[in-house]
Amino acid sequence: IAINDNVDTLHSENEMMVFKNVFNDWYARDCSKKIKAVFKAKGQSGKPLTTIPPYGYKKSEADKNVWEVDEEAAEVVRRIFQLCIDGYGPTQIARILTEDKVLTPTALAEMKKSGNIICAKPYRWAQRTIADLLEKLEYIGHTVNFRTKTKSYKSKKRIINSKTDWQKSQMHNISHQLNKANWQIPFF
């Protein structure tokens, strides 16, 4: 209902208001279906749907659908994978990075965006951050889409899809080679 519809629910009744609500609901549902179809087609084509690339990547200046290696963060990612290969767990890796005063992903993003760091603990790595990073398929060359979904266009709550419903595709712009013979680091 728009202001120019002159609907005053406090002082009068408007029989047409019910029909307008139904038509507005149909319109919103139709728009939602069309937007979902566009995102589904984009995701199935292998283009990343996320607006923020994973730590260690950045969007290409030339094409926003292409990720490039962010060398500053990539060094940290390589180090995390090497520490994991050396037998350290996520908690130990987080402690090592904290002690070495390595900027967290949030602090690095703040510094690159505004030039200063505003988070309270810029060097405090969490075990969960390390574990999530080690589980990301993007570091072995995959684009992963459809990790979550919504139940309805009326709800903003995200539902986690099962891993079998994820859309995985090979990144074509970045070369990732995992050498299983000598377990070289799979990132870049």
Side-chain angles (χ1 to χ4, degrees), residues 154-187:
K154 294 180 179 181
S155 171
K156 300 294 181 200
K157 183 178 179 184
R158 305 299 299 173
I159 300 168
I160 298 172
N161 283 330
S162 69
K163 290 187 178 188
T164 57
D165 293 334
W166 292 2
Q167 175 75 34
K168 299 173 207 150
S169 57
Q170 189 69 30
M171 283 188 219
H172 299 291
N173 59 312
I174 298 176
S175 175
H176 294 74
Q177 298 295 323
L178 174 59
N179 186 340
K180 292 181 182 176
N182 58 7
W183 290 98
Q184 290 180 352
I185 300 172
F187 184 59

PDB file of all heavy atoms in Angstrom, residues 154-187:
ATOM      1  N   LYS A 154       9.970 -14.308   2.236  1.00  0.00           N
ATOM      2  CA  LYS A 154       9.549 -13.510   3.395  1.00  0.00           C
ATOM      3  C   LYS A 154      10.510 -13.651   4.579  1.00  0.00           C
ATOM      4  O   LYS A 154      10.455 -12.871   5.507  1.00  0.00           O
ATOM      5  CB  LYS A 154       8.149 -13.934   3.842  1.00  0.00           C
ATOM      6  CG  LYS A 154       7.071 -13.617   2.832  1.00  0.00           C
ATOM      7  CD  LYS A 154       5.715 -14.048   3.336  1.00  0.00           C
ATOM      8  CE  LYS A 154       4.637 -13.715   2.339  1.00  0.00           C
ATOM      9  NZ  LYS A 154       3.310 -14.099   2.816  1.00  0.00           N
ATOM     10  N   SER A 155      11.359 -14.654   4.533  1.00  0.00           N
ATOM     11  CA  SER A 155      12.272 -14.922   5.649  1.00  0.00           C
ATOM     12  C   SER A 155      13.703 -14.618   5.241  1.00  0.00           C
ATOM     13  O   SER A 155      14.136 -14.966   4.152  1.00  0.00           O
ATOM     14  CB  SER A 155      12.159 -16.395   6.056  1.00  0.00           C
ATOM     15  OG  SER A 155      13.155 -16.721   6.978  1.00  0.00           O
ATOM     16  N   LYS A 156      14.455 -13.987   6.115  1.00  0.00           N
ATOM     17  CA  LYS A 156      15.871 -13.697   5.871  1.00  0.00           C
ATOM     18  C   LYS A 156      16.778 -14.735   6.524  1.00  0.00           C
ATOM     19  O   LYS A 156      17.994 -14.693   6.358  1.00  0.00           O
ATOM     20  CB  LYS A 156      16.240 -12.308   6.421  1.00  0.00           C
ATOM     21  CG  LYS A 156      15.458 -11.177   5.800  1.00  0.00           C
ATOM     22  CD  LYS A 156      15.793 -11.014   4.343  1.00  0.00           C
ATOM     23  CE  LYS A 156      15.013  -9.871   3.743  1.00  0.00           C
ATOM     24  NZ  LYS A 156      14.927  -9.937   2.314  1.00  0.00           N
ATOM     25  N   LYS A 157      16.200 -15.676   7.274  1.00  0.00           N
ATOM     26  CA  LYS A 157      16.990 -16.679   7.972  1.00  0.00           C
ATOM     27  C   LYS A 157      17.638 -17.617   6.954  1.00  0.00           C
ATOM     28  O   LYS A 157      16.999 -18.135   6.051  1.00  0.00           O
ATOM     29  CB  LYS A 157      16.109 -17.485   8.924  1.00  0.00           C
ATOM     30  CG  LYS A 157      16.871 -18.481   9.734  1.00  0.00           C
ATOM     31  CD  LYS A 157      15.982 -19.223  10.703  1.00  0.00           C
ATOM     32  CE  LYS A 157      16.813 -20.235  11.470  1.00  0.00           C
ATOM     33  NZ  LYS A 157      15.983 -21.044  12.353  1.00  0.00           N
ATOM     34  N   ARG A 158      18.948 -17.826   7.114  1.00  0.00           N
ATOM     35  CA  ARG A 158      19.704 -18.689   6.217  1.00  0.00           C
ATOM     36  C   ARG A 158      19.685 -20.123   6.734  1.00  0.00           C
ATOM     37  O   ARG A 158      19.882 -20.371   7.923  1.00  0.00           O
ATOM     38  CB  ARG A 158      21.159 -18.225   6.103  1.00  0.00           C
ATOM     39  CG  ARG A 158      21.372 -16.782   5.691  1.00  0.00           C
ATOM     40  CD  ARG A 158      20.828 -16.405   4.348  1.00  0.00           C
ATOM     41  NE  ARG A 158      21.411 -17.156   3.259  1.00  0.00           N
ATOM     42  CZ  ARG A 158      20.987 -17.081   2.001  1.00  0.00           C
ATOM     43  NH1 ARG A 158      19.988 -16.314   1.690  1.00  0.00           N
ATOM     44  NH2 ARG A 158      21.549 -17.788   1.071  1.00  0.00           N
ATOM     45  N   ILE A 159      19.429 -21.071   5.828  1.00  0.00           N
ATOM     46  CA  ILE A 159      19.431 -22.493   6.145  1.00  0.00           C
ATOM     47  C   ILE A 159      20.652 -23.102   5.460  1.00  0.00           C
ATOM     48  O   ILE A 159      20.874 -22.883   4.266  1.00  0.00           O
ATOM     49  CB  ILE A 159      18.138 -23.165   5.650  1.00  0.00           C
ATOM     50  CG1 ILE A 159      16.922 -22.522   6.325  1.00  0.00           C
ATOM     51  CG2 ILE A 159      18.172 -24.659   5.909  1.00  0.00           C
ATOM     52  CD1 ILE A 159      15.606 -22.914   5.703  1.00  0.00           C
ATOM     53  N   ILE A 160      21.420 -23.874   6.181  1.00  0.00           N
ATOM     54  CA  ILE A 160      22.631 -24.476   5.630  1.00  0.00           C
ATOM     55  C   ILE A 160      22.252 -25.703   4.803  1.00  0.00           C
ATOM     56  O   ILE A 160      21.564 -26.607   5.291  1.00  0.00           O
ATOM     57  CB  ILE A 160      23.618 -24.856   6.748  1.00  0.00           C
ATOM     58  CG1 ILE A 160      24.048 -23.603   7.505  1.00  0.00           C
ATOM     59  CG2 ILE A 160      24.829 -25.589   6.187  1.00  0.00           C
ATOM     60  CD1 ILE A 160      24.860 -23.873   8.750  1.00  0.00           C
ATOM     61  N   ASN A 161      22.691 -25.725   3.546  1.00  0.00           N
ATOM     62  CA  ASN A 161      22.470 -26.875   2.669  1.00  0.00           C
ATOM     63  C   ASN A 161      23.436 -27.994   3.036  1.00  0.00           C
ATOM     64  O   ASN A 161      24.526 -27.746   3.552  1.00  0.00           O
ATOM     65  CB  ASN A 161      22.709 -26.495   1.203  1.00  0.00           C
ATOM     66  CG  ASN A 161      21.564 -25.708   0.614  1.00  0.00           C
ATOM     67  OD1 ASN A 161      20.418 -25.865   0.995  1.00  0.00           O
ATOM     68  ND2 ASN A 161      21.895 -24.847  -0.333  1.00  0.00           N
ATOM     69  N   SER A 162      23.049 -29.221   2.716  1.00  0.00           N
ATOM     70  CA  SER A 162      23.980 -30.336   2.906  1.00  0.00           C
ATOM     71  C   SER A 162      25.089 -30.202   1.866  1.00  0.00           C
ATOM     72  O   SER A 162      24.907 -29.594   0.811  1.00  0.00           O
ATOM     73  CB  SER A 162      23.251 -31.672   2.757  1.00  0.00           C
ATOM     74  OG  SER A 162      22.856 -31.853   1.412  1.00  0.00           O
ATOM     75  N   LYS A 163      26.239 -30.776   2.151  1.00  0.00           N
ATOM     76  CA  LYS A 163      27.386 -30.646   1.248  1.00  0.00           C
ATOM     77  C   LYS A 163      27.106 -31.247  -0.125  1.00  0.00           C
ATOM     78  O   LYS A 163      27.725 -30.858  -1.104  1.00  0.00           O
ATOM     79  CB  LYS A 163      28.630 -31.270   1.873  1.00  0.00           C
ATOM     80  CG  LYS A 163      29.149 -30.471   3.039  1.00  0.00           C
ATOM     81  CD  LYS A 163      30.466 -30.991   3.553  1.00  0.00           C
ATOM     82  CE  LYS A 163      30.943 -30.106   4.681  1.00  0.00           C
ATOM     83  NZ  LYS A 163      32.282 -30.405   5.126  1.00  0.00           N
ATOM     84  N   THR A 164      26.164 -32.179  -0.210  1.00  0.00           N
ATOM     85  CA  THR A 164      25.829 -32.768  -1.512  1.00  0.00           C
ATOM     86  C   THR A 164      25.087 -31.780  -2.403  1.00  0.00           C
ATOM     87  O   THR A 164      25.074 -31.942  -3.625  1.00  0.00           O
ATOM     88  CB  THR A 164      24.964 -34.036  -1.333  1.00  0.00           C
ATOM     89  OG1 THR A 164      23.778 -33.696  -0.597  1.00  0.00           O
ATOM     90  CG2 THR A 164      25.738 -35.126  -0.610  1.00  0.00           C
ATOM     91  N   ASP A 165      24.465 -30.760  -1.811  1.00  0.00           N
ATOM     92  CA  ASP A 165      23.736 -29.748  -2.587  1.00  0.00           C
ATOM     93  C   ASP A 165      24.612 -28.578  -3.016  1.00  0.00           C
ATOM     94  O   ASP A 165      24.168 -27.711  -3.762  1.00  0.00           O
ATOM     95  CB  ASP A 165      22.546 -29.202  -1.781  1.00  0.00           C
ATOM     96  CG  ASP A 165      21.478 -30.257  -1.551  1.00  0.00           C
ATOM     97  OD1 ASP A 165      21.385 -31.185  -2.371  1.00  0.00           O
ATOM     98  OD2 ASP A 165      20.745 -30.138  -0.552  1.00  0.00           O
ATOM     99  N   TRP A 166      25.844 -28.530  -2.549  1.00  0.00           N
ATOM    100  CA  TRP A 166      26.743 -27.444  -2.938  1.00  0.00           C
ATOM    101  C   TRP A 166      27.090 -27.579  -4.413  1.00  0.00           C
ATOM    102  O   TRP A 166      27.225 -28.681  -4.942  1.00  0.00           O
ATOM    103  CB  TRP A 166      28.032 -27.481  -2.134  1.00  0.00           C
ATOM    104  CG  TRP A 166      27.888 -27.157  -0.683  1.00  0.00           C
ATOM    105  CD1 TRP A 166      26.742 -26.868  -0.009  1.00  0.00           C
ATOM    106  CD2 TRP A 166      28.935 -27.111   0.280  1.00  0.00           C
ATOM    107  NE1 TRP A 166      27.010 -26.634   1.313  1.00  0.00           N
ATOM    108  CE2 TRP A 166      28.354 -26.773   1.518  1.00  0.00           C
ATOM    109  CE3 TRP A 166      30.288 -27.317   0.220  1.00  0.00           C
ATOM    110  CZ2 TRP A 166      29.090 -26.641   2.684  1.00  0.00           C
ATOM    111  CZ3 TRP A 166      31.034 -27.187   1.370  1.00  0.00           C
ATOM    112  CH2 TRP A 166      30.435 -26.851   2.583  1.00  0.00           C
ATOM    113  N   GLN A 167      27.239 -26.472  -5.068  1.00  0.00           N
ATOM    114  CA  GLN A 167      27.672 -26.444  -6.469  1.00  0.00           C
ATOM    115  C   GLN A 167      29.155 -26.128  -6.472  1.00  0.00           C
ATOM    116  O   GLN A 167      29.557 -25.030  -6.128  1.00  0.00           O
ATOM    117  CB  GLN A 167      26.893 -25.376  -7.238  1.00  0.00           C
ATOM    118  CG  GLN A 167      27.338 -25.188  -8.663  1.00  0.00           C
ATOM    119  CD  GLN A 167      26.869 -26.300  -9.577  1.00  0.00           C
ATOM    120  OE1 GLN A 167      25.804 -26.836  -9.384  1.00  0.00           O
ATOM    121  NE2 GLN A 167      27.670 -26.627 -10.555  1.00  0.00           N
ATOM    122  N   LYS A 168      29.969 -27.118  -6.863  1.00  0.00           N
ATOM    123  CA  LYS A 168      31.416 -26.934  -6.895  1.00  0.00           C
ATOM    124  C   LYS A 168      31.869 -26.885  -8.350  1.00  0.00           C
ATOM    125  O   LYS A 168      31.446 -27.696  -9.158  1.00  0.00           O
ATOM    126  CB  LYS A 168      32.139 -28.078  -6.189  1.00  0.00           C
ATOM    127  CG  LYS A 168      31.782 -28.209  -4.739  1.00  0.00           C
ATOM    128  CD  LYS A 168      32.398 -29.446  -4.146  1.00  0.00           C
ATOM    129  CE  LYS A 168      31.547 -29.908  -2.984  1.00  0.00           C
ATOM    130  NZ  LYS A 168      31.556 -31.304  -2.749  1.00  0.00           N
ATOM    131  N   SER A 169      32.716 -25.949  -8.654  1.00  0.00           N
ATOM    132  CA  SER A 169      33.283 -25.886  -9.995  1.00  0.00           C
ATOM    133  C   SER A 169      34.734 -25.446  -9.902  1.00  0.00           C
ATOM    134  O   SER A 169      35.133 -24.779  -8.955  1.00  0.00           O
ATOM    135  CB  SER A 169      32.480 -24.952 -10.891  1.00  0.00           C
ATOM    136  OG  SER A 169      32.415 -23.669 -10.328  1.00  0.00           O
ATOM    137  N   GLN A 170      35.492 -25.831 -10.894  1.00  0.00           N
ATOM    138  CA  GLN A 170      36.918 -25.519 -10.923  1.00  0.00           C
ATOM    139  C   GLN A 170      37.122 -24.058 -11.289  1.00  0.00           C
ATOM    140  O   GLN A 170      36.487 -23.551 -12.213  1.00  0.00           O
ATOM    141  CB  GLN A 170      37.621 -26.408 -11.952  1.00  0.00           C
ATOM    142  CG  GLN A 170      39.119 -26.323 -11.928  1.00  0.00           C
ATOM    143  CD  GLN A 170      39.727 -26.935 -10.679  1.00  0.00           C
ATOM    144  OE1 GLN A 170      39.181 -27.852 -10.112  1.00  0.00           O
ATOM    145  NE2 GLN A 170      40.854 -26.416 -10.256  1.00  0.00           N
ATOM    146  N   MET A 171      37.984 -23.361 -10.552  1.00  0.00           N
ATOM    147  CA  MET A 171      38.347 -21.995 -10.919  1.00  0.00           C
ATOM    148  C   MET A 171      39.255 -22.064 -12.130  1.00  0.00           C
ATOM    149  O   MET A 171      40.225 -22.814 -12.140  1.00  0.00           O
ATOM    150  CB  MET A 171      39.106 -21.304  -9.778  1.00  0.00           C
ATOM    151  CG  MET A 171      38.255 -20.845  -8.650  1.00  0.00           C
ATOM    152  SD  MET A 171      39.283 -19.871  -7.534  1.00  0.00           S
ATOM    153  CE  MET A 171      38.656 -20.402  -5.977  1.00  0.00           C
ATOM    154  N   HIS A 172      38.925 -21.292 -13.142  1.00  0.00           N
ATOM    155  CA  HIS A 172      39.715 -21.341 -14.370  1.00  0.00           C
ATOM    156  C   HIS A 172      40.806 -20.279 -14.394  1.00  0.00           C
ATOM    157  O   HIS A 172      41.753 -20.384 -15.144  1.00  0.00           O
ATOM    158  CB  HIS A 172      38.808 -21.162 -15.589  1.00  0.00           C
ATOM    159  CG  HIS A 172      37.778 -22.235 -15.684  1.00  0.00           C
ATOM    160  ND1 HIS A 172      38.093 -23.542 -15.978  1.00  0.00           N
ATOM    161  CD2 HIS A 172      36.442 -22.207 -15.488  1.00  0.00           C
ATOM    162  CE1 HIS A 172      36.985 -24.271 -15.981  1.00  0.00           C
ATOM    163  NE2 HIS A 172      35.973 -23.481 -15.685  1.00  0.00           N
ATOM    164  N   ASN A 173      40.683 -19.262 -13.572  1.00  0.00           N
ATOM    165  CA  ASN A 173      41.623 -18.154 -13.640  1.00  0.00           C
ATOM    166  C   ASN A 173      42.828 -18.315 -12.729  1.00  0.00           C
ATOM    167  O   ASN A 173      43.796 -17.621 -12.854  1.00  0.00           O
ATOM    168  CB  ASN A 173      40.909 -16.840 -13.294  1.00  0.00           C
ATOM    169  CG  ASN A 173      40.310 -16.886 -11.906  1.00  0.00           C
ATOM    170  OD1 ASN A 173      39.645 -17.841 -11.540  1.00  0.00           O
ATOM    171  ND2 ASN A 173      40.532 -15.860 -11.129  1.00  0.00           N
ATOM    172  N   ILE A 174      42.770 -19.261 -11.796  1.00  0.00           N
ATOM    173  CA  ILE A 174      43.871 -19.443 -10.855  1.00  0.00           C
ATOM    174  C   ILE A 174      44.329 -20.901 -10.922  1.00  0.00           C
ATOM    175  O   ILE A 174      43.517 -21.815 -10.879  1.00  0.00           O
ATOM    176  CB  ILE A 174      43.445 -19.086  -9.415  1.00  0.00           C
ATOM    177  CG1 ILE A 174      43.050 -17.619  -9.347  1.00  0.00           C
ATOM    178  CG2 ILE A 174      44.550 -19.398  -8.426  1.00  0.00           C
ATOM    179  CD1 ILE A 174      42.520 -17.190  -8.013  1.00  0.00           C
ATOM    180  N   SER A 175      45.600 -21.100 -11.038  1.00  0.00           N
ATOM    181  CA  SER A 175      46.138 -22.453 -11.144  1.00  0.00           C
ATOM    182  C   SER A 175      46.405 -23.014  -9.751  1.00  0.00           C
ATOM    183  O   SER A 175      47.124 -22.422  -8.965  1.00  0.00           O
ATOM    184  CB  SER A 175      47.423 -22.423 -11.958  1.00  0.00           C
ATOM    185  OG  SER A 175      48.011 -23.694 -11.965  1.00  0.00           O
ATOM    186  N   HIS A 176      45.795 -24.151  -9.449  1.00  0.00           N
ATOM    187  CA  HIS A 176      46.000 -24.836  -8.176  1.00  0.00           C
ATOM    188  C   HIS A 176      46.385 -26.273  -8.491  1.00  0.00           C
ATOM    189  O   HIS A 176      45.617 -26.995  -9.094  1.00  0.00           O
ATOM    190  CB  HIS A 176      44.715 -24.869  -7.354  1.00  0.00           C
ATOM    191  CG  HIS A 176      44.254 -23.538  -6.894  1.00  0.00           C
ATOM    192  ND1 HIS A 176      43.681 -22.625  -7.717  1.00  0.00           N
ATOM    193  CD2 HIS A 176      44.289 -22.970  -5.675  1.00  0.00           C
ATOM    194  CE1 HIS A 176      43.360 -21.548  -7.028  1.00  0.00           C
ATOM    195  NE2 HIS A 176      43.732 -21.726  -5.797  1.00  0.00           N
ATOM    196  N   GLN A 177      47.536 -26.673  -8.073  1.00  0.00           N
ATOM    197  CA  GLN A 177      47.967 -28.044  -8.301  1.00  0.00           C
ATOM    198  C   GLN A 177      48.353 -28.655  -6.962  1.00  0.00           C
ATOM    199  O   GLN A 177      49.256 -28.181  -6.299  1.00  0.00           O
ATOM    200  CB  GLN A 177      49.159 -28.083  -9.266  1.00  0.00           C
ATOM    201  CG  GLN A 177      48.865 -27.531 -10.642  1.00  0.00           C
ATOM    202  CD  GLN A 177      47.846 -28.357 -11.387  1.00  0.00           C
ATOM    203  OE1 GLN A 177      47.820 -29.573 -11.285  1.00  0.00           O
ATOM    204  NE2 GLN A 177      46.981 -27.697 -12.126  1.00  0.00           N
ATOM    205  N   LEU A 178      47.662 -29.703  -6.570  1.00  0.00           N
ATOM    206  CA  LEU A 178      47.995 -30.410  -5.336  1.00  0.00           C
ATOM    207  C   LEU A 178      48.875 -31.605  -5.719  1.00  0.00           C
ATOM    208  O   LEU A 178      48.444 -32.512  -6.406  1.00  0.00           O
ATOM    209  CB  LEU A 178      46.745 -30.896  -4.618  1.00  0.00           C
ATOM    210  CG  LEU A 178      46.936 -31.778  -3.388  1.00  0.00           C
ATOM    211  CD1 LEU A 178      47.750 -31.029  -2.343  1.00  0.00           C
ATOM    212  CD2 LEU A 178      45.611 -32.185  -2.814  1.00  0.00           C
ATOM    213  N   ASN A 179      50.099 -31.587  -5.296  1.00  0.00           N
ATOM    214  CA  ASN A 179      51.023 -32.666  -5.581  1.00  0.00           C
ATOM    215  C   ASN A 179      50.918 -33.667  -4.443  1.00  0.00           C
ATOM    216  O   ASN A 179      51.476 -33.473  -3.366  1.00  0.00           O
ATOM    217  CB  ASN A 179      52.440 -32.117  -5.714  1.00  0.00           C
ATOM    218  CG  ASN A 179      53.420 -33.173  -6.144  1.00  0.00           C
ATOM    219  OD1 ASN A 179      53.169 -34.361  -6.000  1.00  0.00           O
ATOM    220  ND2 ASN A 179      54.545 -32.726  -6.671  1.00  0.00           N
ATOM    221  N   LYS A 180      50.170 -34.757  -4.663  1.00  0.00           N
ATOM    222  CA  LYS A 180      49.923 -35.730  -3.599  1.00  0.00           C
ATOM    223  C   LYS A 180      51.162 -36.568  -3.280  1.00  0.00           C
ATOM    224  O   LYS A 180      51.244 -37.160  -2.229  1.00  0.00           O
ATOM    225  CB  LYS A 180      48.747 -36.626  -3.983  1.00  0.00           C
ATOM    226  CG  LYS A 180      47.444 -35.860  -4.017  1.00  0.00           C
ATOM    227  CD  LYS A 180      46.286 -36.746  -4.378  1.00  0.00           C
ATOM    228  CE  LYS A 180      45.022 -35.904  -4.430  1.00  0.00           C
ATOM    229  NZ  LYS A 180      43.869 -36.635  -4.851  1.00  0.00           N
ATOM    230  N   ALA A 181      52.107 -36.623  -4.198  1.00  0.00           N
ATOM    231  CA  ALA A 181      53.308 -37.426  -3.958  1.00  0.00           C
ATOM    232  C   ALA A 181      54.129 -36.859  -2.806  1.00  0.00           C
ATOM    233  O   ALA A 181      54.611 -37.597  -1.956  1.00  0.00           O
ATOM    234  CB  ALA A 181      54.152 -37.501  -5.226  1.00  0.00           C
ATOM    235  N   ASN A 182      54.273 -35.530  -2.760  1.00  0.00           N
ATOM    236  CA  ASN A 182      55.075 -34.956  -1.677  1.00  0.00           C
ATOM    237  C   ASN A 182      54.277 -33.941  -0.850  1.00  0.00           C
ATOM    238  O   ASN A 182      54.837 -33.177  -0.109  1.00  0.00           O
ATOM    239  CB  ASN A 182      56.365 -34.332  -2.216  1.00  0.00           C
ATOM    240  CG  ASN A 182      56.107 -33.245  -3.240  1.00  0.00           C
ATOM    241  OD1 ASN A 182      54.971 -32.858  -3.459  1.00  0.00           O
ATOM    242  ND2 ASN A 182      57.166 -32.760  -3.860  1.00  0.00           N
ATOM    243  N   TRP A 183      52.949 -33.950  -0.981  1.00  0.00           N
ATOM    244  CA  TRP A 183      52.047 -33.124  -0.171  1.00  0.00           C
ATOM    245  C   TRP A 183      52.433 -31.657  -0.158  1.00  0.00           C
ATOM    246  O   TRP A 183      52.559 -31.039   0.879  1.00  0.00           O
ATOM    247  CB  TRP A 183      51.937 -33.658   1.255  1.00  0.00           C
ATOM    248  CG  TRP A 183      51.202 -34.943   1.299  1.00  0.00           C
ATOM    249  CD1 TRP A 183      51.739 -36.178   1.350  1.00  0.00           C
ATOM    250  CD2 TRP A 183      49.786 -35.126   1.236  1.00  0.00           C
ATOM    251  NE1 TRP A 183      50.761 -37.130   1.321  1.00  0.00           N
ATOM    252  CE2 TRP A 183      49.545 -36.508   1.269  1.00  0.00           C
ATOM    253  CE3 TRP A 183      48.689 -34.269   1.168  1.00  0.00           C
ATOM    254  CZ2 TRP A 183      48.276 -37.056   1.226  1.00  0.00           C
ATOM    255  CZ3 TRP A 183      47.433 -34.821   1.127  1.00  0.00           C
ATOM    256  CH2 TRP A 183      47.224 -36.175   1.157  1.00  0.00           C
ATOM    257  N   GLN A 184      52.641 -31.090  -1.323  1.00  0.00           N
ATOM    258  CA  GLN A 184      52.921 -29.666  -1.407  1.00  0.00           C
ATOM    259  C   GLN A 184      51.667 -28.894  -1.034  1.00  0.00           C
ATOM    260  O   GLN A 184      50.546 -29.383  -1.177  1.00  0.00           O
ATOM    261  CB  GLN A 184      53.375 -29.281  -2.804  1.00  0.00           C
ATOM    262  CG  GLN A 184      54.752 -29.815  -3.134  1.00  0.00           C
ATOM    263  CD  GLN A 184      55.176 -29.411  -4.527  1.00  0.00           C
ATOM    264  OE1 GLN A 184      54.398 -28.864  -5.286  1.00  0.00           O
ATOM    265  NE2 GLN A 184      56.412 -29.702  -4.853  1.00  0.00           N
ATOM    266  N   ILE A 185      51.842 -27.680  -0.610  1.00  0.00           N
ATOM    267  CA  ILE A 185      50.726 -26.848  -0.180  1.00  0.00           C
ATOM    268  C   ILE A 185      49.799 -26.588  -1.363  1.00  0.00           C
ATOM    269  O   ILE A 185      50.240 -26.149  -2.417  1.00  0.00           O
ATOM    270  CB  ILE A 185      51.227 -25.538   0.444  1.00  0.00           C
ATOM    271  CG1 ILE A 185      52.100 -25.880   1.652  1.00  0.00           C
ATOM    272  CG2 ILE A 185      50.078 -24.629   0.844  1.00  0.00           C
ATOM    273  CD1 ILE A 185      52.796 -24.695   2.245  1.00  0.00           C
ATOM    274  N   PRO A 186      48.476 -26.846  -1.197  1.00  0.00           N
ATOM    275  CA  PRO A 186      47.553 -26.749  -2.330  1.00  0.00           C
ATOM    276  C   PRO A 186      47.139 -25.337  -2.704  1.00  0.00           C
ATOM    277  O   PRO A 186      46.414 -25.165  -3.655  1.00  0.00           O
ATOM    278  CB  PRO A 186      46.336 -27.533  -1.817  1.00  0.00           C
ATOM    279  CG  PRO A 186      46.375 -27.363  -0.349  1.00  0.00           C
ATOM    280  CD  PRO A 186      47.845 -27.325   0.007  1.00  0.00           C
ATOM    281  N   PHE A 187      47.558 -24.327  -1.981  1.00  0.00           N
ATOM    282  CA  PHE A 187      47.102 -22.971  -2.246  1.00  0.00           C
ATOM    283  C   PHE A 187      48.085 -22.271  -3.153  1.00  0.00           C
ATOM    284  O   PHE A 187      49.204 -22.011  -2.798  1.00  0.00           O
ATOM    285  CB  PHE A 187      46.969 -22.226  -0.900  1.00  0.00           C
ATOM    286  CG  PHE A 187      46.416 -20.851  -0.991  1.00  0.00           C
ATOM    287  CD1 PHE A 187      45.172 -20.604  -1.527  1.00  0.00           C
ATOM    288  CD2 PHE A 187      47.147 -19.790  -0.542  1.00  0.00           C
ATOM    289  CE1 PHE A 187      44.666 -19.330  -1.590  1.00  0.00           C
ATOM    290  CE2 PHE A 187      46.655 -18.510  -0.598  1.00  0.00           C
ATOM    291  CZ  PHE A 187      45.407 -18.282  -1.126  1.00  0.00           C
TER     292      PHE A 187
END
